[in-house]
Amino acid sequence: GAGVSQSPSNKVTEKGKDVELRCDPISGHTALYWYRQSLGQGLEFLIYFQGNSAPDKSGLPSDRFSAERTGGSVSTLTIQRTQQEDSAVYLCASSLYLAEGYEQYFGPGTRLTVT
Amino acid sequence: GIQVEQSPPDLILQEGANSTLRCNFSDSVNNLQWFHQNPWGQLINLFYIPSGTKQNGRLSATTVATERYSLLYISSSQTTDSGVYFCAGYMNTGFQKLVFGTGTRLLVSP
């Protein structure tokens, strides 16, 4: 079946502009996550959505970052007034939510370059 | 302290060789996953392995949760195995996020 999809695959923007990144999770997955990977680094958690619960925003690096998930499916990560340090690959993942544990599946990512 | 630690950081192999990658994790982490990040950046699920041993073709993984480590075995390596291998686990604090290690960068030469 279809995996996690993200768009755009690449985004170049000027410093100070706003950007929106989109994630379509695997159908039926109730949990959705955003991560960020800077060049040559591991993945850094940003935000987590589970069903209708309030999202866990503990990983968002500043108030310029926000995310929403509409209808329990598609999610949009918005970065306002982009800075050069925001340049990274932004990865989305989804999973089922099971009491005994859950495997996350990742999309191909959006490579963001802030000039 | 470091919650998920991987070794070695870099590994160069000749095609056909075997290797073992290690992941140590703190007692605040559980439900390990192993991923392969290919040269195009895609994270590919290898194993979801909270405990025990699993095998998939030339790859196998073992997690000994009581001793806080997991091992990924690659046998008869191929050039397509090149990339970065990450292990990641869930925090026990109730927050549902994966904490990633810094990865092992593998290069398999022909």
Side-chain angles (χ1 to χ4, degrees):
Chain A
V4 178
S5 61
Q6 293 185 244
S7 61
S9 54
N10 282 284
K11 177 71 175 179
V12 180
T13 190
E14 292 180 352
K15 178 181 172 181
K17 296 287 179 77
D18 298 352
V19 295
E20 284 190 352
L21 313 179
R22 177 188 168 104
C23 172
D24 280 275
I26 292 172
S27 177
H29 280 189
T30 57
L32 186 148
Y33 315 76
W34 284 97
Y35 296 84
R36 178 170 71 173
Q37 186 176 28
S38 300
L39 187 64
Q41 303 296 312
L43 274 74
E44 171 192 9
F45 167 80
L46 296 177
I47 188 169
Y48 158 71
F49 296 90
Q50 165 52 30
N52 295 322
S53 302
D56 172 7
K57 303 179 181 180
S58 60
L60 295 179
S62 79
D63 59 9
R64 297 185 295 103
F65 288 72
S66 63
E68 62 179 23
R69 188 179 184 191
T70 54
S73 180
V74 172
S75 177
T76 302
L77 177 69
T78 301
I79 308 173
Q80 295 179 310
R81 305 180 303 282
T82 52
Q83 304 293 313
Q84 288 184 331
E85 61 262 28
D86 298 335
S87 296
V89 177
Y90 290 81
L91 290 148
C92 175
S94 72
S95 74
L96 295 171
Y97 185 83
L98 303 168
E100 61 268 30
Y102 29 89
E103 187 171 4
Q104 289 188 27
Y105 295 87
F106 282 80
T110 293
R111 183 175 300 276
L112 175 65
T113 303
V114 182
T115 61
Chain B
I2 297 174
Q3 294 158 326
V4 181
E5 193 171 32
Q6 292 186 242
S7 61
D10 295 279
L11 187 59
I12 300 175
L13 297 175
Q14 199 76 26
E15 197 169 25
N18 303 327
S19 64
T20 301
L21 281 59
R22 185 178 179 102
C23 175
N24 293 328
F25 52 98
S26 68
D27 57 8
S28 60
V29 172
N30 61 15
N31 291 353
L32 264 277
Q33 283 191 243
W34 281 97
F35 297 93
H36 174 215
Q37 189 167 42
N38 65 21
W40 295 271
Q42 175 71 55
L43 273 170
I44 299 164
N45 289 47
L46 296 178
F47 296 101
Y48 172 68
I49 186 162
S51 64
T53 297
K54 291 185 178 180
Q55 179 149 12
N56 185 2
R58 296 181 296 103
L59 303 182
S60 64
T62 295
T63 296
V64 184
T66 53
E67 297 185 24
R68 319 306 302 171
Y69 73 88
S70 184
L71 303 174
L72 177 70
Y73 306 95
I74 305 174
S75 65
S76 304
S77 58
Q78 301 177 357
T79 56
T80 51
D81 295 332
S82 297
V84 183
Y85 289 80
F86 289 103
C87 69
Y90 284 96
M91 299 291 292
N92 290 337
T93 58
F95 294 117
Q96 312 305 332
K97 63 182 181 182
L98 282 175
V99 177
F100 280 77
T102 52
T104 292
R105 187 173 302 274
L106 174 65
L107 176 63
V108 181
S109 58

